Amino acid sequence: MKIRTLCAALMLVCAPAYAEDMTVALRYGEFDNYDRIGASLRFAPVWTADWGNWRAALHPELEVGRLRYDGHGPGASTLDQGGVLGMFRAVYGSGALRPYAEVGLGLALFSRTTLGGKDFSTRLQFSEHLGLGVELPHGLSAGWLYSHYSNADIKLPNDGVDFHQIVIGARF
């Protein structure tokens, strides 16, 4: 509940400043016996550049998600997650279908320190993201996103968790 309240407060503070060119995305992914369903709110870029046929931008982003363990091991079966990150996206071309590559770094807060057999040791986690996809007409996008969450060894054990996700987005 605290994570949802924090994300809602951040959205209220940040949204007026970045009300134009926002993107909402839905994400679903899994890896081993863990899956994640979530959403993100990407704000207008804070930096842009044109490199010939490539257009690059750095966007602040908020994310929320629910992580689930569907194995038969010990420990909690779900946890909630919220985070803030910076996403760098490079888009090629100006046609109807524009491929993109993106990379991001962020901070996440987990609602608990265990999930199934994984022990994260801390609720504070760092996140790394790598994605590929295509921007479609009418502000839509579809892609794949790899995400890794871990505490960067600030406390052991540091099991970490990874997800391969399908991402569907809509810009407005």
Short mmCIF file of all heavy atoms in Angstrom, two decimals, residues 127-162:
data_model
loop_
_atom_site.label_atom_id
_atom_site.label_comp_id
_atom_site.label_asym_id
_atom_site.label_seq_id
_atom_site.Cartn_x
_atom_site.Cartn_y
_atom_site.Cartn_z
N SER A 127 17.43 -1.43 -10.45
CA SER A 127 16.89 -2.11 -11.63
C SER A 127 17.67 -1.72 -12.87
O SER A 127 18.14 -0.59 -13.00
CB SER A 127 15.41 -1.78 -11.81
OG SER A 127 15.19 -0.42 -12.05
N GLU A 128 17.80 -2.69 -13.76
CA GLU A 128 18.46 -2.50 -15.05
C GLU A 128 17.51 -3.05 -16.11
O GLU A 128 16.91 -4.12 -15.92
CB GLU A 128 19.79 -3.25 -15.10
CG GLU A 128 20.73 -2.83 -14.02
CD GLU A 128 21.85 -3.82 -13.79
OE1 GLU A 128 21.77 -4.97 -14.24
OE2 GLU A 128 22.82 -3.42 -13.11
N HIS A 129 17.39 -2.33 -17.22
CA HIS A 129 16.42 -2.69 -18.25
C HIS A 129 17.08 -2.58 -19.63
O HIS A 129 17.86 -1.66 -19.88
CB HIS A 129 15.21 -1.77 -18.20
CG HIS A 129 14.61 -1.65 -16.83
ND1 HIS A 129 13.65 -2.51 -16.36
CD2 HIS A 129 14.89 -0.79 -15.82
CE1 HIS A 129 13.33 -2.17 -15.12
NE2 HIS A 129 14.08 -1.13 -14.78
N LEU A 130 16.71 -3.50 -20.52
CA LEU A 130 17.19 -3.50 -21.89
C LEU A 130 16.03 -3.94 -22.76
O LEU A 130 15.42 -4.99 -22.51
CB LEU A 130 18.36 -4.47 -22.03
CG LEU A 130 18.98 -4.62 -23.40
CD1 LEU A 130 19.62 -3.30 -23.84
CD2 LEU A 130 20.02 -5.73 -23.39
N GLY A 131 15.71 -3.11 -23.79
CA GLY A 131 14.54 -3.44 -24.60
C GLY A 131 14.72 -3.20 -26.08
O GLY A 131 15.58 -2.41 -26.51
N LEU A 132 13.89 -3.88 -26.85
CA LEU A 132 13.80 -3.72 -28.30
C LEU A 132 12.33 -3.72 -28.67
O LEU A 132 11.53 -4.43 -28.05
CB LEU A 132 14.49 -4.88 -29.03
CG LEU A 132 15.98 -5.05 -28.82
CD1 LEU A 132 16.44 -6.37 -29.43
CD2 LEU A 132 16.74 -3.88 -29.43
N GLY A 133 11.98 -2.94 -29.68
CA GLY A 133 10.59 -2.93 -30.10
C GLY A 133 10.37 -2.08 -31.32
O GLY A 133 11.31 -1.72 -32.03
N VAL A 134 9.11 -1.73 -31.53
CA VAL A 134 8.74 -0.92 -32.67
C VAL A 134 7.66 0.08 -32.25
O VAL A 134 6.75 -0.27 -31.52
CB VAL A 134 8.27 -1.80 -33.86
CG1 VAL A 134 7.01 -2.59 -33.52
CG2 VAL A 134 8.06 -0.99 -35.10
N GLU A 135 7.85 1.34 -32.66
CA GLU A 135 6.82 2.34 -32.48
C GLU A 135 5.88 2.24 -33.67
O GLU A 135 6.32 2.20 -34.83
CB GLU A 135 7.43 3.74 -32.37
CG GLU A 135 8.20 3.94 -31.09
CD GLU A 135 8.69 5.37 -30.89
OE1 GLU A 135 8.58 6.19 -31.82
OE2 GLU A 135 9.21 5.64 -29.80
N LEU A 136 4.59 2.20 -33.40
CA LEU A 136 3.56 2.00 -34.41
C LEU A 136 2.79 3.30 -34.64
O LEU A 136 2.93 4.25 -33.87
CB LEU A 136 2.60 0.90 -33.93
CG LEU A 136 3.25 -0.43 -33.55
CD1 LEU A 136 2.29 -1.29 -32.75
CD2 LEU A 136 3.70 -1.15 -34.80
N PRO A 137 1.96 3.36 -35.68
CA PRO A 137 1.14 4.55 -35.90
C PRO A 137 0.20 4.82 -34.72
O PRO A 137 -0.07 3.93 -33.92
CB PRO A 137 0.33 4.20 -37.16
CG PRO A 137 1.13 3.15 -37.85
CD PRO A 137 1.82 2.37 -36.77
N HIS A 138 -0.28 6.05 -34.62
CA HIS A 138 -1.25 6.49 -33.61
C HIS A 138 -0.72 6.43 -32.19
O HIS A 138 -1.47 6.23 -31.25
CB HIS A 138 -2.56 5.70 -33.73
CG HIS A 138 -3.10 5.64 -35.12
ND1 HIS A 138 -3.55 6.76 -35.79
CD2 HIS A 138 -3.21 4.60 -35.98
CE1 HIS A 138 -3.94 6.41 -37.01
NE2 HIS A 138 -3.74 5.11 -37.15
N GLY A 139 0.60 6.56 -32.02
CA GLY A 139 1.19 6.62 -30.69
C GLY A 139 1.31 5.28 -29.97
O GLY A 139 1.60 5.25 -28.78
N LEU A 140 1.11 4.18 -30.67
CA LEU A 140 1.21 2.87 -30.05
C LEU A 140 2.62 2.31 -30.20
O LEU A 140 3.38 2.72 -31.08
CB LEU A 140 0.21 1.91 -30.69
CG LEU A 140 -1.25 2.33 -30.59
CD1 LEU A 140 -2.13 1.34 -31.34
CD2 LEU A 140 -1.69 2.44 -29.13
N SER A 141 2.98 1.37 -29.34
CA SER A 141 4.28 0.70 -29.43
C SER A 141 4.14 -0.72 -28.88
O SER A 141 3.26 -1.00 -28.08
CB SER A 141 5.36 1.47 -28.68
OG SER A 141 5.06 1.55 -27.31
N ALA A 142 5.03 -1.59 -29.34
CA ALA A 142 5.07 -2.98 -28.87
C ALA A 142 6.52 -3.41 -28.82
O ALA A 142 7.31 -3.04 -29.70
CB ALA A 142 4.27 -3.89 -29.80
N GLY A 143 6.87 -4.18 -27.79
CA GLY A 143 8.26 -4.59 -27.70
C GLY A 143 8.51 -5.64 -26.64
O GLY A 143 7.58 -6.17 -26.02
N TRP A 144 9.80 -5.92 -26.46
CA TRP A 144 10.30 -6.85 -25.47
C TRP A 144 11.21 -6.07 -24.53
O TRP A 144 11.96 -5.19 -24.96
CB TRP A 144 11.10 -7.96 -26.18
CG TRP A 144 12.01 -8.73 -25.29
CD1 TRP A 144 11.67 -9.80 -24.50
CD2 TRP A 144 13.41 -8.51 -25.07
NE1 TRP A 144 12.79 -10.25 -23.81
CE2 TRP A 144 13.87 -9.46 -24.15
CE3 TRP A 144 14.32 -7.57 -25.57
CZ2 TRP A 144 15.19 -9.51 -23.72
CZ3 TRP A 144 15.64 -7.63 -25.13
CH2 TRP A 144 16.06 -8.60 -24.23
N LEU A 145 11.13 -6.38 -23.23
CA LEU A 145 11.95 -5.71 -22.23
C LEU A 145 12.51 -6.75 -21.26
O LEU A 145 11.76 -7.55 -20.70
CB LEU A 145 11.13 -4.68 -21.46
CG LEU A 145 11.86 -3.84 -20.43
CD1 LEU A 145 12.85 -2.89 -21.12
CD2 LEU A 145 10.88 -3.05 -19.58
N TYR A 146 13.83 -6.75 -21.11
CA TYR A 146 14.48 -7.58 -20.10
C TYR A 146 14.72 -6.68 -18.89
O TYR A 146 15.26 -5.58 -19.03
CB TYR A 146 15.81 -8.12 -20.62
CG TYR A 146 16.66 -8.72 -19.54
CD1 TYR A 146 16.40 -10.00 -19.05
CD2 TYR A 146 17.71 -8.01 -18.98
CE1 TYR A 146 17.17 -10.55 -18.05
CE2 TYR A 146 18.49 -8.55 -17.97
CZ TYR A 146 18.21 -9.82 -17.51
OH TYR A 146 18.98 -10.35 -16.51
N SER A 147 14.32 -7.13 -17.71
CA SER A 147 14.52 -6.36 -16.48
C SER A 147 15.19 -7.22 -15.42
O SER A 147 14.84 -8.40 -15.26
CB SER A 147 13.19 -5.84 -15.93
OG SER A 147 12.58 -4.95 -16.84
N HIS A 148 16.14 -6.64 -14.71
CA HIS A 148 16.84 -7.30 -13.61
C HIS A 148 16.72 -6.42 -12.38
O HIS A 148 16.94 -5.21 -12.44
CB HIS A 148 18.32 -7.49 -13.97
CG HIS A 148 19.14 -7.96 -12.81
ND1 HIS A 148 19.12 -9.27 -12.38
CD2 HIS A 148 20.00 -7.30 -12.00
CE1 HIS A 148 19.93 -9.38 -11.33
NE2 HIS A 148 20.48 -8.21 -11.09
N TYR A 149 16.34 -7.03 -11.26
CA TYR A 149 16.25 -6.32 -9.98
C TYR A 149 17.16 -7.02 -8.98
O TYR A 149 17.11 -8.23 -8.82
CB TYR A 149 14.80 -6.37 -9.44
CG TYR A 149 13.81 -5.66 -10.32
CD1 TYR A 149 13.17 -6.33 -11.36
CD2 TYR A 149 13.52 -4.32 -10.13
CE1 TYR A 149 12.26 -5.69 -12.18
CE2 TYR A 149 12.61 -3.67 -10.93
CZ TYR A 149 11.99 -4.37 -11.96
OH TYR A 149 11.10 -3.72 -12.76
N SER A 150 18.01 -6.24 -8.31
CA SER A 150 18.85 -6.78 -7.24
C SER A 150 19.29 -5.62 -6.35
O SER A 150 19.12 -4.46 -6.70
CB SER A 150 20.07 -7.52 -7.80
OG SER A 150 21.02 -6.61 -8.29
N ASN A 151 19.90 -5.96 -5.20
CA ASN A 151 20.32 -4.90 -4.29
C ASN A 151 21.78 -4.51 -4.46
O ASN A 151 22.33 -3.78 -3.64
CB ASN A 151 20.01 -5.27 -2.83
CG ASN A 151 20.91 -6.36 -2.28
OD1 ASN A 151 21.99 -6.63 -2.79
ND2 ASN A 151 20.45 -7.01 -1.23
N ALA A 152 22.42 -4.97 -5.54
CA ALA A 152 23.81 -4.61 -5.86
C ALA A 152 24.79 -4.99 -4.72
O ALA A 152 25.77 -4.30 -4.49
CB ALA A 152 23.94 -3.13 -6.20
N ASP A 153 24.47 -6.05 -4.02
CA ASP A 153 25.30 -6.56 -2.93
C ASP A 153 25.47 -5.60 -1.76
O ASP A 153 26.45 -5.68 -1.02
CB ASP A 153 26.68 -6.99 -3.45
CG ASP A 153 26.63 -8.31 -4.21
OD1 ASP A 153 25.62 -9.03 -4.08
OD2 ASP A 153 27.60 -8.61 -4.92
N ILE A 154 24.50 -4.70 -1.55
CA ILE A 154 24.59 -3.85 -0.36
C ILE A 154 24.32 -4.66 0.91
O ILE A 154 24.69 -4.25 2.00
CB ILE A 154 23.69 -2.60 -0.43
CG1 ILE A 154 22.22 -2.97 -0.60
CG2 ILE A 154 24.14 -1.67 -1.52
CD1 ILE A 154 21.27 -1.78 -0.61
N LYS A 155 23.66 -5.82 0.74
CA LYS A 155 23.46 -6.76 1.84
C LYS A 155 23.29 -8.14 1.22
O LYS A 155 22.66 -8.28 0.17
CB LYS A 155 22.23 -6.38 2.66
CG LYS A 155 22.03 -7.22 3.89
CD LYS A 155 20.88 -6.72 4.73
CE LYS A 155 20.71 -7.60 5.96
NZ LYS A 155 19.50 -7.25 6.69
N LEU A 156 23.86 -9.15 1.86
CA LEU A 156 23.77 -10.52 1.35
C LEU A 156 22.77 -11.31 2.16
O LEU A 156 22.60 -11.05 3.35
CB LEU A 156 25.14 -11.18 1.39
CG LEU A 156 26.20 -10.53 0.49
CD1 LEU A 156 27.55 -11.22 0.68
CD2 LEU A 156 25.77 -10.58 -0.96
N PRO A 157 22.09 -12.29 1.59
CA PRO A 157 22.19 -12.72 0.19
C PRO A 157 21.53 -11.71 -0.75
O PRO A 157 20.70 -10.90 -0.35
CB PRO A 157 21.45 -14.05 0.16
CG PRO A 157 20.48 -13.99 1.28
CD PRO A 157 21.12 -13.12 2.34
N ASN A 158 21.91 -11.78 -1.99
CA ASN A 158 21.41 -10.89 -3.04
C ASN A 158 20.96 -11.75 -4.22
O ASN A 158 21.63 -11.82 -5.23
CB ASN A 158 22.51 -9.91 -3.46
CG ASN A 158 22.05 -9.00 -4.58
OD1 ASN A 158 20.87 -8.76 -4.78
ND2 ASN A 158 23.01 -8.50 -5.35
N ASP A 159 19.83 -12.43 -4.05
CA ASP A 159 19.39 -13.38 -5.07
C ASP A 159 19.02 -12.70 -6.39
O ASP A 159 19.28 -13.24 -7.45
CB ASP A 159 18.21 -14.21 -4.57
CG ASP A 159 18.65 -15.21 -3.50
OD1 ASP A 159 19.86 -15.52 -3.42
OD2 ASP A 159 17.79 -15.68 -2.74
N GLY A 160 18.39 -11.54 -6.34
CA GLY A 160 17.98 -10.87 -7.57
C GLY A 160 16.90 -11.65 -8.31
O GLY A 160 16.63 -12.81 -8.03
N VAL A 161 16.27 -10.97 -9.27
CA VAL A 161 15.23 -11.61 -10.08
C VAL A 161 15.24 -10.97 -11.46
O VAL A 161 15.51 -9.77 -11.59
CB VAL A 161 13.85 -11.51 -9.39
CG1 VAL A 161 13.37 -10.08 -9.27
CG2 VAL A 161 12.82 -12.39 -10.06
N ASP A 162 14.99 -11.78 -12.48
CA ASP A 162 15.02 -11.33 -13.87
C ASP A 162 13.68 -11.62 -14.54
O ASP A 162 13.02 -12.61 -14.20
CB ASP A 162 16.10 -12.09 -14.66
CG ASP A 162 17.47 -11.91 -14.06
OD1 ASP A 162 17.99 -10.79 -14.13
OD2 ASP A 162 18.01 -12.88 -13.50
#
